Amino acid sequence: MNKFDERMSLSYTDRAGFSENSCGRNLLELMEQKKTNLTFGADISDGDELLKLVKETGEELAVVKTHVDIIDSYSSRHTEELADLAKDLGFLIFEDRKFVDIGKTVKRQYEGGTFRIADWAHIVNAHTVPGPGIIDGLYEVARPMIEKGLDRGLLLLAQMTSKGTLATGGYTVKSVAMAKENPEFVMGYIGAGSVPPELKKLASIVELYQVIMTPGIKIGASYDGLGQQYAAPEEAIRAGSDNLIVGSGIYGAASSVEAAKKYRKIGWETYIERLK
Ligand code: 6AU
């Protein structure tokens, strides 16, 4: 059986057994237990509104993804309360920081500054354009936390959803190769949910235990006017996505809770179908 077919036929729990990163393992197990493979991309500038929406939708979610630097008047209260909600409602926090610098700089951006991301984000992501030093720099911060039993994992941006992206073909293949040195830290990849044939190529070369999380998902839309491209949730799951990242499809809906329930149901049912 080829890698893609094997990936599609195994449950999250089966794949979790192969994982060397505890955060990746816990995400796979959490998705199976909670029966949701949905991430809410909570791109909301008002910190209190963000917390309110997360409180309302948290039961439906495996992960809440933040862009902490778009919160107006950020204070550590926002991320402390988010961390409390994560414990109460059972989801992981993914700060979509997209680190993209040399190792010693990203190390400081992850650990310190205004946001102290490593203190509260279980998952972060990084571009591979700087080379493997970016993984080493981030891992210097995460390693002692992982050794203490905390969930800390890194997703590499092997692809992007935006029109004209350079993250395709050989770039994607080299990004996947870069993860191999640090299986205890790199838990998976961002893949382009919006471009199912490309996503399938990624899902055909990554290890079984690695998670592919996919933005670019929206029902009834194909473009946002600023480069973002969309596909339907079913298409992404069938092309190898493990987790659907939905932003404006949830926070822009008339009822965010109803939208989250809808994306959750489609994501989960399509995952169950692919196991058959
Ligand atoms: O559903 P949307 O289009 O409203 O939001 C998509 C979210 C945004 C993006 O910053 C993010 O997903 N994203 C990413 C991530 C998660 O790394 C990569 C990418 O290629 N495209 C993309 O949209 O918060």
Side-chain angles (χ1 to χ4, degrees):
M1 201 188 274
N2 65 37
K3 255 186 174 165
F4 180 80
D5 290 341
E6 200 175 2
R7 181 178 196 88
M8 301 299 274
S9 67
L10 289 175
S11 70
Y12 295 141
T13 311
D14 291 337
R15 287 172 42 210
F18 300 111
S19 180
E20 292 181 45
N21 171 260
S22 54
C23 190
R25 189 164 54 239
N26 287 340
L27 174 58
L28 287 164
E29 284 171 354
L30 184 160
M31 291 195 290
E32 196 78 51
Q33 278 161 17
K34 203 172 169 183
K35 296 193 170 19
T36 172
N37 48 17
L38 180 63
T39 292
F40 175 28
D43 297 345
I44 299 155
S45 305
D46 180 327
D48 291 326
E49 178 65 17
L50 185 159
L51 291 167
K52 181 174 159 274
L53 275 191
V54 169
K55 203 173 187 174
E56 286 169 9
T57 55
E59 295 284 359
E60 313 300 327
L61 311 172
V63 179
V64 169
K65 186 182 78 64
T66 53
H67 275 300
V68 71
D69 57 353
I70 67 171
I71 300 178
D72 296 329
S73 315
Y74 167 82
S75 95
S76 58
R77 174 182 71 81
H78 295 117
T79 39
E80 282 159 15
E81 287 184 23
L82 184 64
D84 289 341
L85 286 174
K87 278 194 204 118
D88 293 348
L89 299 171
F91 58 79
L92 294 174
I93 305 173
F94 166 15
E95 164 54 26
D96 187 359
R97 173 63 178 77
K98 294 190 182 69
F99 293 103
V100 59
D101 213 320
I102 57 169
K104 69 179 176 208
T105 302
V106 295
K107 185 178 167 187
R108 293 172 64 185
Q109 291 171 324
Y110 184 26
E111 187 170 41
T114 304
F115 303 118
R116 306 198 63 82
I117 294 167
D119 286 354
W120 49 269
H122 305 105
I123 305 169
V124 289
N125 53 354
H127 284 290
T128 51
V129 73
I134 190 166
I135 303 175
D136 298 338
L138 295 168
Y139 192 28
E140 281 201 5
V141 177
R143 187 192 285 119
M145 305 182 87
I146 293 171
E147 284 168 2
K148 275 189 206 148
L150 296 171
D151 281 340
R152 292 294 178 273
L154 177 68
L155 298 167
L156 297 178
L157 281 123
Q159 297 179 329
M160 284 201 76
T161 58
S162 39
K163 201 168 161 49
T165 178
L166 303 181
T168 59
Y171 184 97
T172 301
V173 174
K174 284 187 182 162
S175 300
V176 170
M178 223 182 267
K180 296 215 165 97
E181 299 299 313
N182 295 101
E184 313 82 6
F185 183 41
V186 182
M187 59 184 272
Y189 305 91
I190 294 292
S194 48
V195 194
E198 286 298 309
L199 179 59
K200 192 168 176 183
K201 286 186 200 160
L202 175 68
S204 305
I205 57 171
V206 307
E207 299 302 327
L208 284 176
Y209 62 83
Q210 293 177 318
V211 179
I212 301 178
M213 298 183 64
T214 58
I217 305 297
K218 201 170 192 174
I219 298 167
S222 58
Y223 193 59
D224 76 347
L226 284 178
Q228 177 69 310
Q229 308 175 107
Y230 292 110
E234 301 90 329
E235 291 179 79
I237 298 284
R238 287 183 196 130
S241 166
D242 294 312
N243 184 288
L244 303 169
I245 300 176
V246 182
S248 48
I250 294 177
Y251 68 76
S255 163
S256 296
V257 180
E258 289 311 312
K261 284 185 197 291
K262 187 167 167 183
Y263 282 98
R264 175 195 190 167
K265 186 169 187 296
I266 297 172
W268 189 257
E269 288 179 356
T270 314
Y271 159 69
I272 295 296
E273 267 168 35
R274 85 182 188 186
L275 296 176
K276 287 175 187 158

